Structure formats: C-alpha cells, structure tokens
Amino acid sequence: MDKKVIVIETVTTGTGFNLFHQNAELDFYLFIKRPEKYHELKHKQAPPNVTVITVDTTNEEAIKEKIELLGIRPHAIFSLSDGFIEIACRVAYDFGCVANDPELIALCRNKQALRDRLQKMGIKTPEHHLLPAKLTDTYKNYPYIVKPNSGTGNMGVLIVHDFAELEQCHARLRPQYSEILLEELLLGPLISHEVFVSNGKVLDLGLTSRVLSDFPYFVELGCSFPMDIGPNKAEVFQASKQILEKLGYQHGPVHIEYILTATGPVLVEINPRLAGGPIGNMLLYCLQENIYHSICQEYLTGKGATEFNLQAGHGMAVVSVFATAEGTLAGLELDLAKKYPGVVKIEVLKVIGDKLALAHDYSGEILRVYATGKTSEEAYYRALAAKNAVKIQLK
C-alpha cells in the first residue's frame, strides 16, 4: 500500500466505513476526535487498512501538526462528515492535495447565506429568517420548520405550529447552535438528488425519495432509490447541474435536497458530501460503478469518474426503526423480519443495555431494514412490511 489517504472524520451512522472496505488496496489514516462515536471502533471492528489517529479534528493546526509528526506524505485528504468537510479542504490545500474551494464549502454549509446566493441566481428556495436572540410574536404563517443554520443529519430539525412551540424549540436549540433558521414549511414529498462532480463535470447518480414524519419531532422514516418522478426528473438534474457549475464546484459527491411542490421542485439545501445515513449502501447496490472507488480516485487524481449508470431492475429501500417509548433496550426479535421477501440486511445500530429516547434525529435509530425489489417502490413496501415484524423489548 503506497497511497496514503487521510480521512478527517467520516459518517457515524452505519455506512462510514464503507470507504475503507471498498478500497482495501489503499492505506487510510482516520483522524478522529472521539473514537467512542464510531460503532465499529467501540466493537474493535476497524479494517486492517485503517490506522486510527486521535486528534482534535476541529483544530486545523493540530491536524497539520499531527500529519507532520506522522512523517507521511498524504496523497489525498478529505472528509465524508458534513461538519469536517471545510477543515479537510483547508488542510488538503495546504498539502497540495485535490480539494474544493474551502470558501465554497463554507457557503454550502451556511443555509441562510447559500439560499441568499441561490435566490440571486434565480433559484427557488424556501423563505427563511435567522431568529433573533429575543423572540417576538411576529411570525404568522405557521407551521414553520426550525433548524440550525449549519446543522446536518436532521439534528435539531423541528416543526413548530404556534408561537409557544417556537419559544420552546428556540430555548432548546439556542445553547447548542449560534444561529437558528426559521423556514417556511413547503408541502410536497422530499427527494434528494445524488450527484458526483469530476473535475467540474456534473454527473447524475439518481434521485432518492425520502419519507418524513413528525413523531414527536421531525425525523426520517425511510428512503428508496432510484426514484422516478416523471417530468420533474430532467428539471431537477438541470437545476443541480446549473447551480454547481455556477458555484464553481469541482470535486466529489454532492447531496442536494428538493421539495416537490405543486408548482415544481424547490431546492432546500446543498450538502457538499456523499449522502449520510444508509444512502451509501443504496448507491453501492444500484449503481454499476462503485461510488467509494470513485470518491478515492477523484481526490487522488482529480478525475474519478466519467459516467454512472443505474443497474436495470435494482431498486433498494431502507426503513429506520425508532423507539416509541423511553427505556433501556432489553431485546430485539428479528428472525421473522429477516424472512420477508427482498430483505437483504437488518443493520442494528444499538446494543442491549443502551438507553433509548424518543427519536428526533438519526441518533435515535435502533436499526434499519434494507430490502430490494425491481423498483424502488416495491423495495420500499417490502422494507416497511418487514419493519413492522420487528419486536423491540424495553425495560
């Protein structure tokens, strides 16, 4: 292994280590601040081609000093974790590695600033306001969505139906986030457009449908891929292509979210990374080209892919299982769910003895049911049926 690749944090929700397993020929250094965040490291399941380095990954200088102390010449430096994409780009620039413009990444992670820029470009985005430190009852078009201005993974995303709920959510989020966004609630299904940019060329990976619910907060229940949304499909790709080209995006995967309203798709946000949660597994199954190979080649060479094609008859869906009551996980009965048609995997994210709380983001997931079908719709209904056969025991 002569290619040294530094990954500054990765996804902690089950698919983060795909990168390492799918590129066994590369020598990875995983820079992390808190090893206990990673299920694989807690259970000593790190692959042999990964060297784990503990360092303050929020400190750019500490990262660069650690690289110098290791005495390695990195061939690529990047991150798959939203909160560390920008700092990884800055470090990569300093070491002469392939990277996107860090200022562009900072723009993408600032929801308000990005939407202001996109609106000037003529792109439809939700109406939004940064909430002041002291609220006044001036908002009239309830319900709204409240979210951190630079958050990720549905963390802190809440629905408010009146001013009293807005005050409660604001008080809850204020200690954790410096800026909180109030956003109009758009009516329509949420989809995500997965794309890959190779040396400035925007390549289509496909559309993912996503199912959301408000119990008791705003969480994702399931998603399916690839999704066909009829005439809007070409419109979405052209919108994503135009936006990324105008912004000057150059390298790697991008996850773009839209709401399909009655008047057409409205862009919600751009995440400058591979989609989190289970979508990496879905891309692996449904695409003819290995997305994780392409990511590494893009950051190693600046040109990782020329085209991605969906495999005919390959649809996949994932449904997440959350706790519906608080307590301690005492047992899981999965045998019946595993027998359902199309079920290929049940990914357990908690262990017996874990404390469970009512879900309000991905951290509340207990497990995921993966199912396949000839279409994404068939796969989704199979996963949903199997999910209902899962028995969770609490104490």
Side-chain angles (χ1 to χ4, degrees), residues 104-157:
L104 172 57
I105 301 304
L107 173 67
C108 290
R109 297 204 65 250
N110 184 318
K111 293 177 173 59
Q112 184 227 359
L114 177 66
R115 289 173 183 184
D116 290 346
R117 173 78 66 86
L118 293 175
Q119 286 178 353
K120 290 178 181 177
M121 293 164 52
I123 304 298
K124 290 188 291 185
T125 68
E127 291 302 316
H128 57 279
H129 315 273
L130 280 179
L131 290 176
K134 186 175 181 179
L135 292 179
T136 57
D137 191 5
T138 57
Y139 308 104
K140 304 302 180 185
N141 297 317
Y142 291 95
Y144 288 103
I145 291 176
V146 179
K147 61 174 64 173
N149 192 39
S150 59
T152 184
N154 285 346
M155 302 289 283
V157 179

Tab-separated table of all heavy atoms in Angstrom, residues 104-157:
chain	number	residue	atom	x	y	z
A	104	LEU	N	-16.155	27.964	-0.793
A	104	LEU	CA	-17.383	27.441	-1.374
A	104	LEU	C	-18.026	26.433	-0.430
A	104	LEU	O	-19.255	26.420	-0.256
A	104	LEU	CB	-17.098	26.786	-2.726
A	104	LEU	CG	-18.247	26.031	-3.389
A	104	LEU	CD1	-19.463	26.933	-3.584
A	104	LEU	CD2	-17.810	25.430	-4.710
A	105	ILE	N	-17.217	25.590	0.183
A	105	ILE	CA	-17.746	24.618	1.140
A	105	ILE	C	-18.378	25.337	2.325
A	105	ILE	O	-19.448	24.959	2.813
A	105	ILE	CB	-16.641	23.658	1.607
A	105	ILE	CG1	-16.040	22.908	0.416
A	105	ILE	CG2	-17.186	22.679	2.643
A	105	ILE	CD1	-17.030	22.136	-0.415
A	106	ALA	N	-17.730	26.406	2.801
A	106	ALA	CA	-18.294	27.188	3.906
A	106	ALA	C	-19.645	27.785	3.512
A	106	ALA	O	-20.581	27.822	4.322
A	106	ALA	CB	-17.319	28.293	4.313
A	107	LEU	N	-19.766	28.244	2.270
A	107	LEU	CA	-21.032	28.785	1.785
A	107	LEU	C	-22.117	27.709	1.786
A	107	LEU	O	-23.247	27.952	2.233
A	107	LEU	CB	-20.854	29.351	0.374
A	107	LEU	CG	-22.139	29.815	-0.328
A	107	LEU	CD1	-22.718	31.042	0.373
A	107	LEU	CD2	-21.871	30.114	-1.804
A	108	CYS	N	-21.793	26.519	1.290
A	108	CYS	CA	-22.778	25.437	1.236
A	108	CYS	C	-23.269	25.040	2.628
A	108	CYS	O	-24.424	24.637	2.792
A	108	CYS	CB	-22.191	24.215	0.531
A	108	CYS	SG	-21.927	24.430	-1.249
A	109	ARG	N	-22.411	25.170	3.621
A	109	ARG	CA	-22.785	24.754	4.969
A	109	ARG	C	-23.544	25.836	5.730
A	109	ARG	O	-24.071	25.572	6.814
A	109	ARG	CB	-21.543	24.336	5.757
A	109	ARG	CG	-20.827	23.126	5.172
A	109	ARG	CD	-20.006	22.395	6.209
A	109	ARG	NE	-20.871	21.814	7.232
A	109	ARG	CZ	-20.938	22.251	8.479
A	109	ARG	NH1	-20.229	23.302	8.882
A	109	ARG	NH2	-21.740	21.656	9.354
A	110	ASN	N	-23.606	27.047	5.177
A	110	ASN	CA	-24.359	28.131	5.794
A	110	ASN	C	-25.684	28.262	5.047
A	110	ASN	O	-25.749	28.841	3.965
A	110	ASN	CB	-23.558	29.433	5.727
A	110	ASN	CG	-24.234	30.584	6.443
A	110	ASN	OD1	-25.441	30.774	6.352
A	110	ASN	ND2	-23.457	31.376	7.162
A	111	LYS	N	-26.748	27.698	5.590
A	111	LYS	CA	-28.010	27.592	4.869
A	111	LYS	C	-28.550	28.960	4.456
A	111	LYS	O	-29.035	29.139	3.332
A	111	LYS	CB	-29.033	26.840	5.718
A	111	LYS	CG	-28.678	25.368	5.946
A	111	LYS	CD	-29.680	24.700	6.852
A	111	LYS	CE	-29.453	23.200	6.953
A	111	LYS	NZ	-28.123	22.824	7.453
A	112	GLN	N	-28.480	29.931	5.356
A	112	GLN	CA	-29.006	31.254	5.020
A	112	GLN	C	-28.203	31.911	3.909
A	112	GLN	O	-28.759	32.412	2.928
A	112	GLN	CB	-29.001	32.152	6.257
A	112	GLN	CG	-29.634	33.513	6.016
A	112	GLN	CD	-28.780	34.662	6.556
A	112	GLN	OE1	-27.722	34.458	7.120
A	112	GLN	NE2	-29.246	35.873	6.349
A	113	ALA	N	-26.877	31.906	4.035
A	113	ALA	CA	-26.029	32.549	3.026
A	113	ALA	C	-26.173	31.860	1.673
A	113	ALA	O	-26.213	32.522	0.627
A	113	ALA	CB	-24.570	32.530	3.485
A	114	LEU	N	-26.244	30.526	1.670
A	114	LEU	CA	-26.402	29.790	0.411
A	114	LEU	C	-27.727	30.141	-0.256
A	114	LEU	O	-27.772	30.393	-1.465
A	114	LEU	CB	-26.313	28.295	0.660
A	114	LEU	CG	-26.542	27.414	-0.578
A	114	LEU	CD1	-25.429	27.622	-1.587
A	114	LEU	CD2	-26.660	25.944	-0.197
A	115	ARG	N	-28.798	30.183	0.514
A	115	ARG	CA	-30.100	30.496	-0.075
A	115	ARG	C	-30.140	31.917	-0.615
A	115	ARG	O	-30.728	32.166	-1.670
A	115	ARG	CB	-31.195	30.276	0.963
A	115	ARG	CG	-31.398	28.803	1.250
A	115	ARG	CD	-32.352	28.584	2.374
A	115	ARG	NE	-32.467	27.157	2.650
A	115	ARG	CZ	-33.303	26.658	3.543
A	115	ARG	NH1	-34.090	27.464	4.227
A	115	ARG	NH2	-33.356	25.354	3.744
A	116	ASP	N	-29.519	32.834	0.092
A	116	ASP	CA	-29.462	34.212	-0.412
A	116	ASP	C	-28.728	34.255	-1.753
A	116	ASP	O	-29.152	34.949	-2.683
A	116	ASP	CB	-28.775	35.118	0.607
A	116	ASP	CG	-29.621	35.344	1.857
A	116	ASP	OD1	-30.827	35.016	1.820
A	116	ASP	OD2	-29.071	35.835	2.860
A	117	ARG	N	-27.631	33.494	-1.857
A	117	ARG	CA	-26.869	33.448	-3.111
A	117	ARG	C	-27.709	32.805	-4.221
A	117	ARG	O	-27.755	33.307	-5.350
A	117	ARG	CB	-25.582	32.649	-2.901
A	117	ARG	CG	-24.772	32.375	-4.178
A	117	ARG	CD	-23.972	33.566	-4.638
A	117	ARG	NE	-22.944	33.878	-3.679
A	117	ARG	CZ	-21.726	33.328	-3.643
A	117	ARG	NH1	-21.396	32.422	-4.552
A	117	ARG	NH2	-20.845	33.685	-2.742
A	118	LEU	N	-28.375	31.701	-3.908
A	118	LEU	CA	-29.167	30.997	-4.912
A	118	LEU	C	-30.349	31.833	-5.389
A	118	LEU	O	-30.690	31.830	-6.578
A	118	LEU	CB	-29.661	29.660	-4.357
A	118	LEU	CG	-28.582	28.603	-4.081
A	118	LEU	CD1	-29.194	27.375	-3.428
A	118	LEU	CD2	-27.838	28.204	-5.343
A	119	GLN	N	-30.986	32.553	-4.484
A	119	GLN	CA	-32.113	33.393	-4.882
A	119	GLN	C	-31.673	34.487	-5.851
A	119	GLN	O	-32.395	34.832	-6.787
A	119	GLN	CB	-32.788	33.982	-3.646
A	119	GLN	CG	-33.607	32.949	-2.879
A	119	GLN	CD	-34.255	33.502	-1.614
A	119	GLN	OE1	-33.996	34.635	-1.215
A	119	GLN	NE2	-35.099	32.705	-0.986
A	120	LYS	N	-30.467	35.010	-5.657
A	120	LYS	CA	-29.925	35.997	-6.599
A	120	LYS	C	-29.656	35.379	-7.966
A	120	LYS	O	-29.656	36.071	-8.987
A	120	LYS	CB	-28.648	36.613	-6.044
A	120	LYS	CG	-28.868	37.528	-4.840
A	120	LYS	CD	-27.562	38.076	-4.305
A	120	LYS	CE	-27.786	38.965	-3.094
A	120	LYS	NZ	-26.511	39.461	-2.516
A	121	MET	N	-29.442	34.046	-7.981
A	121	MET	CA	-29.231	33.321	-9.232
A	121	MET	C	-30.547	32.910	-9.878
A	121	MET	O	-30.549	32.274	-10.927
A	121	MET	CB	-28.361	32.079	-8.968
A	121	MET	CG	-26.936	32.378	-8.550
A	121	MET	SD	-26.084	30.928	-7.812
A	121	MET	CE	-26.343	29.669	-9.054
A	122	GLY	N	-31.671	33.238	-9.238
A	122	GLY	CA	-32.968	32.873	-9.779
A	122	GLY	C	-33.433	31.487	-9.407
A	122	GLY	O	-34.368	30.967	-10.014
A	123	ILE	N	-32.812	30.868	-8.402
A	123	ILE	CA	-33.174	29.527	-7.963
A	123	ILE	C	-34.189	29.629	-6.825
A	123	ILE	O	-34.000	30.385	-5.871
A	123	ILE	CB	-31.927	28.755	-7.478
A	123	ILE	CG1	-30.846	28.717	-8.572
A	123	ILE	CG2	-32.302	27.347	-7.035
A	123	ILE	CD1	-31.258	28.028	-9.828
A	124	LYS	N	-35.267	28.843	-6.922
A	124	LYS	CA	-36.290	28.863	-5.875
A	124	LYS	C	-35.802	28.117	-4.634
A	124	LYS	O	-35.381	26.957	-4.716
A	124	LYS	CB	-37.579	28.222	-6.385
A	124	LYS	CG	-38.305	29.028	-7.434
A	124	LYS	CD	-39.670	28.430	-7.761
A	124	LYS	CE	-39.547	27.116	-8.484
A	124	LYS	NZ	-40.877	26.581	-8.919
A	125	THR	N	-35.880	28.788	-3.476
A	125	THR	CA	-35.570	28.169	-2.186
A	125	THR	C	-36.655	28.594	-1.194
A	125	THR	O	-37.377	29.562	-1.435
A	125	THR	CB	-34.186	28.601	-1.655
A	125	THR	OG1	-34.221	29.991	-1.306
A	125	THR	CG2	-33.093	28.372	-2.693
A	126	PRO	N	-36.772	27.912	-0.054
A	126	PRO	CA	-37.806	28.296	0.918
A	126	PRO	C	-37.553	29.700	1.483
A	126	PRO	O	-36.393	30.114	1.648
A	126	PRO	CB	-37.674	27.241	2.021
A	126	PRO	CG	-36.944	26.104	1.394
A	126	PRO	CD	-36.042	26.704	0.373
A	127	GLU	N	-38.624	30.408	1.804
A	127	GLU	CA	-38.480	31.666	2.534
A	127	GLU	C	-37.938	31.356	3.922
A	127	GLU	O	-38.286	30.341	4.533
A	127	GLU	CB	-39.819	32.392	2.621
A	127	GLU	CG	-40.310	32.927	1.282
A	127	GLU	CD	-39.307	33.892	0.640
A	127	GLU	OE1	-38.762	34.764	1.363
A	127	GLU	OE2	-39.054	33.757	-0.569
A	128	HIS	N	-37.093	32.240	4.437
A	128	HIS	CA	-36.391	31.916	5.674
A	128	HIS	C	-35.991	33.188	6.415
A	128	HIS	O	-35.867	34.262	5.819
A	128	HIS	CB	-35.145	31.085	5.363
A	128	HIS	CG	-34.207	31.766	4.403
A	128	HIS	ND1	-34.409	31.742	3.039
A	128	HIS	CD2	-33.101	32.515	4.592
A	128	HIS	CE1	-33.454	32.435	2.441
A	128	HIS	NE2	-32.656	32.917	3.367
A	129	HIS	N	-35.752	33.032	7.709
A	129	HIS	CA	-35.303	34.136	8.553
A	129	HIS	C	-34.354	33.568	9.610
A	129	HIS	O	-34.605	32.483	10.155
A	129	HIS	CB	-36.469	34.822	9.282
A	129	HIS	CG	-37.659	35.091	8.416
A	129	HIS	ND1	-37.783	36.225	7.657
A	129	HIS	CD2	-38.787	34.358	8.190
A	129	HIS	CE1	-38.938	36.199	7.005
A	129	HIS	NE2	-39.557	35.067	7.309
A	130	LEU	N	-33.293	34.295	9.930
A	130	LEU	CA	-32.497	33.956	11.108
A	130	LEU	C	-33.228	34.479	12.334
A	130	LEU	O	-33.646	35.641	12.380
A	130	LEU	CB	-31.102	34.581	11.026
A	130	LEU	CG	-30.064	33.873	10.154
A	130	LEU	CD1	-28.748	34.637	10.179
A	130	LEU	CD2	-29.836	32.436	10.605
A	131	LEU	N	-33.403	33.610	13.318
A	131	LEU	CA	-34.123	34.026	14.513
A	131	LEU	C	-33.250	34.900	15.407
A	131	LEU	O	-32.077	34.591	15.628
A	131	LEU	CB	-34.585	32.796	15.301
A	131	LEU	CG	-35.704	31.975	14.663
A	131	LEU	CD1	-35.992	30.742	15.505
A	131	LEU	CD2	-36.967	32.801	14.491
A	132	PRO	N	-33.799	35.997	15.953
A	132	PRO	CA	-33.034	36.829	16.887
A	132	PRO	C	-32.906	36.137	18.239
A	132	PRO	O	-33.630	35.173	18.542
A	132	PRO	CB	-33.890	38.095	16.994
A	132	PRO	CG	-35.281	37.622	16.724
A	132	PRO	CD	-35.150	36.514	15.715
A	133	ALA	N	-32.010	36.639	19.062
A	133	ALA	CA	-31.816	36.055	20.393
A	133	ALA	C	-33.076	36.183	21.239
A	133	ALA	O	-33.410	35.297	22.031
A	133	ALA	CB	-30.638	36.725	21.090
A	134	LYS	N	-33.799	37.297	21.064
A	134	LYS	CA	-35.044	37.513	21.800
A	134	LYS	C	-36.204	37.488	20.810
A	134	LYS	O	-36.310	38.341	19.936
A	134	LYS	CB	-35.009	38.850	22.551
A	134	LYS	CG	-36.211	39.066	23.444
A	134	LYS	CD	-36.073	40.342	24.267
A	134	LYS	CE	-37.287	40.514	25.186
A	134	LYS	NZ	-37.171	41.745	26.015
A	135	LEU	N	-37.083	36.505	20.968
A	135	LEU	CA	-38.176	36.324	20.017
A	135	LEU	C	-39.320	37.298	20.288
A	135	LEU	O	-39.594	37.654	21.442
A	135	LEU	CB	-38.727	34.901	20.119
A	135	LEU	CG	-37.827	33.756	19.652
A	135	LEU	CD1	-38.548	32.435	19.848
A	135	LEU	CD2	-37.439	33.930	18.193
A	136	THR	N	-39.975	37.697	19.223
A	136	THR	CA	-41.240	38.415	19.314
A	136	THR	C	-42.263	37.692	18.440
A	136	THR	O	-41.899	37.038	17.450
A	136	THR	CB	-41.101	39.874	18.843
A	136	THR	OG1	-40.594	39.885	17.489
A	136	THR	CG2	-40.160	40.652	19.752
A	137	ASP	N	-43.527	37.819	18.788
A	137	ASP	CA	-44.580	37.077	18.099
A	137	ASP	C	-44.973	37.792	16.804
A	137	ASP	O	-46.065	38.350	16.687
A	137	ASP	CB	-45.787	36.921	19.021
A	137	ASP	CG	-46.809	35.934	18.463
A	137	ASP	OD1	-46.523	35.321	17.420
A	137	ASP	OD2	-47.875	35.784	19.074
A	138	THR	N	-44.067	37.743	15.826
A	138	THR	CA	-44.305	38.445	14.561
A	138	THR	C	-44.468	37.490	13.388
A	138	THR	O	-44.654	37.943	12.260
A	138	THR	CB	-43.147	39.413	14.261
A	138	THR	OG1	-41.917	38.667	14.230
A	138	THR	CG2	-43.057	40.504	15.319
A	139	TYR	N	-44.399	36.181	13.632
A	139	TYR	CA	-44.458	35.203	12.550
A	139	TYR	C	-45.889	34.670	12.445
A	139	TYR	O	-46.472	34.211	13.429
A	139	TYR	CB	-43.464	34.064	12.813
A	139	TYR	CG	-42.072	34.585	13.087
A	139	TYR	CD1	-41.565	34.618	14.386
A	139	TYR	CD2	-41.278	35.086	12.064
A	139	TYR	CE1	-40.294	35.115	14.646
A	139	TYR	CE2	-40.009	35.603	12.317
A	139	TYR	CZ	-39.526	35.607	13.609
A	139	TYR	OH	-38.275	36.115	13.869
A	140	LYS	N	-46.462	34.719	11.264
A	140	LYS	CA	-47.892	34.458	11.112
A	140	LYS	C	-48.229	33.224	10.283
A	140	LYS	O	-49.362	32.746	10.333
A	140	LYS	CB	-48.568	35.684	10.461
A	140	LYS	CG	-48.347	36.984	11.230
A	140	LYS	CD	-48.851	36.900	12.668
A	140	LYS	CE	-48.622	38.200	13.423
A	140	LYS	NZ	-49.007	38.086	14.846
A	141	ASN	N	-47.282	32.712	9.499
A	141	ASN	CA	-47.613	31.641	8.546
A	141	ASN	C	-47.220	30.262	9.066
A	141	ASN	O	-46.501	29.505	8.414
A	141	ASN	CB	-46.932	31.924	7.204
A	141	ASN	CG	-47.435	33.204	6.577
A	141	ASN	OD1	-48.632	33.483	6.583
A	141	ASN	ND2	-46.525	33.996	6.034
A	142	TYR	N	-47.694	29.934	10.273
A	142	TYR	CA	-47.412	28.612	10.835
A	142	TYR	C	-48.134	27.538	10.026
A	142	TYR	O	-49.169	27.813	9.419
A	142	TYR	CB	-47.876	28.570	12.303
A	142	TYR	CG	-47.048	29.422	13.232
A	142	TYR	CD1	-47.446	30.721	13.548
A	142	TYR	CD2	-45.868	28.938	13.786
A	142	TYR	CE1	-46.692	31.515	14.402
A	142	TYR	CE2	-45.101	29.725	14.649
A	142	TYR	CZ	-45.523	31.005	14.952
A	142	TYR	OH	-44.767	31.791	15.793
A	143	PRO	N	-47.605	26.285	10.028
A	143	PRO	CA	-46.412	25.828	10.742
A	143	PRO	C	-45.118	26.193	10.017
A	143	PRO	O	-45.120	26.413	8.798
A	143	PRO	CB	-46.589	24.314	10.781
A	143	PRO	CG	-47.404	24.000	9.566
A	143	PRO	CD	-48.320	25.167	9.359
A	144	TYR	N	-44.025	26.253	10.789
A	144	TYR	CA	-42.698	26.502	10.261
A	144	TYR	C	-41.787	25.328	10.611
A	144	TYR	O	-42.092	24.517	11.503
A	144	TYR	CB	-42.079	27.753	10.886
A	144	TYR	CG	-42.661	29.067	10.445
A	144	TYR	CD1	-43.539	29.768	11.265
A	144	TYR	CD2	-42.302	29.633	9.230
A	144	TYR	CE1	-44.068	30.997	10.880
A	144	TYR	CE2	-42.821	30.865	8.837
A	144	TYR	CZ	-43.702	31.536	9.663
A	144	TYR	OH	-44.210	32.751	9.271
A	145	ILE	N	-40.655	25.287	9.932
A	145	ILE	CA	-39.563	24.398	10.324
A	145	ILE	C	-38.494	25.247	10.992
A	145	ILE	O	-38.158	26.328	10.511
A	145	ILE	CB	-38.982	23.648	9.111
A	145	ILE	CG1	-40.007	22.644	8.582
A	145	ILE	CG2	-37.688	22.923	9.483
A	145	ILE	CD1	-39.577	21.925	7.331
A	146	VAL	N	-37.964	24.747	12.093
A	146	VAL	CA	-36.855	25.391	12.795
A	146	VAL	C	-35.658	24.462	12.696
A	146	VAL	O	-35.782	23.250	12.912
A	146	VAL	CB	-37.206	25.656	14.273
A	146	VAL	CG1	-36.040	26.309	14.996
A	146	VAL	CG2	-38.442	26.539	14.372
A	147	LYS	N	-34.495	25.014	12.355
A	147	LYS	CA	-33.310	24.170	12.213
A	147	LYS	C	-32.048	24.993	12.471
A	147	LYS	O	-32.042	26.220	12.294
A	147	LYS	CB	-33.243	23.559	10.813
A	147	LYS	CG	-33.152	24.573	9.688
A	147	LYS	CD	-32.950	23.923	8.326
A	147	LYS	CE	-34.088	23.071	7.892
A	147	LYS	NZ	-33.940	22.593	6.488
A	148	PRO	N	-30.942	24.335	12.848
A	148	PRO	CA	-29.661	25.045	12.938
A	148	PRO	C	-29.243	25.550	11.563
A	148	PRO	O	-29.476	24.874	10.550
A	148	PRO	CB	-28.691	23.972	13.451
A	148	PRO	CG	-29.558	22.912	14.043
A	148	PRO	CD	-30.830	22.924	13.265
A	149	ASN	N	-28.609	26.705	11.525
A	149	ASN	CA	-28.197	27.271	10.246
A	149	ASN	C	-27.076	26.479	9.596
A	149	ASN	O	-26.880	26.555	8.388
A	149	ASN	CB	-27.765	28.733	10.428
A	149	ASN	CG	-27.614	29.462	9.105
A	149	ASN	OD1	-28.400	29.266	8.190
A	149	ASN	ND2	-26.586	30.290	8.997
A	150	SER	N	-26.333	25.708	10.369
A	150	SER	CA	-25.252	24.907	9.786
A	150	SER	C	-25.312	23.462	10.265
A	150	SER	O	-24.288	22.804	10.381
A	150	SER	CB	-23.882	25.513	10.129
A	150	SER	OG	-23.709	25.566	11.539
A	151	GLY	N	-26.507	22.973	10.542
A	151	GLY	CA	-26.643	21.619	11.058
A	151	GLY	C	-26.636	20.568	9.964
A	151	GLY	O	-26.591	20.864	8.772
A	152	THR	N	-26.723	19.305	10.393
A	152	THR	CA	-26.705	18.185	9.460
A	152	THR	C	-27.421	16.994	10.076
A	152	THR	O	-27.656	16.953	11.290
A	152	THR	CB	-25.262	17.794	9.095
A	152	THR	OG1	-25.286	16.772	8.109
A	152	THR	CG2	-24.503	17.287	10.309
A	153	GLY	N	-27.792	16.016	9.248
A	153	GLY	CA	-28.340	14.755	9.725
A	153	GLY	C	-29.662	14.883	10.463
A	153	GLY	O	-29.957	14.078	11.337
A	154	ASN	N	-30.471	15.891	10.123
A	154	ASN	CA	-31.744	16.137	10.807
A	154	ASN	C	-31.577	16.502	12.270
A	154	ASN	O	-32.558	16.554	13.019
A	154	ASN	CB	-32.682	14.923	10.707
A	154	ASN	CG	-33.308	14.791	9.339
A	154	ASN	OD1	-33.270	15.711	8.538
A	154	ASN	ND2	-33.868	13.632	9.056
A	155	MET	N	-30.346	16.790	12.702
A	155	MET	CA	-30.121	17.166	14.084
A	155	MET	C	-30.740	18.539	14.341
A	155	MET	O	-30.434	19.520	13.657
A	155	MET	CB	-28.615	17.217	14.390
A	155	MET	CG	-27.885	15.917	14.125
A	155	MET	SD	-28.287	14.622	15.305
A	155	MET	CE	-27.327	15.152	16.703
A	156	GLY	N	-31.624	18.614	15.326
A	156	GLY	CA	-32.226	19.878	15.695
A	156	GLY	C	-33.271	20.396	14.737
A	156	GLY	O	-33.662	21.566	14.831
A	157	VAL	N	-33.758	19.566	13.808
A	157	VAL	CA	-34.787	19.993	12.863
A	157	VAL	C	-36.157	19.709	13.480
A	157	VAL	O	-36.492	18.562	13.769
A	157	VAL	CB	-34.652	19.271	11.514
A	157	VAL	CG1	-35.752	19.716	10.564
A	157	VAL	CG2	-33.286	19.555	10.905
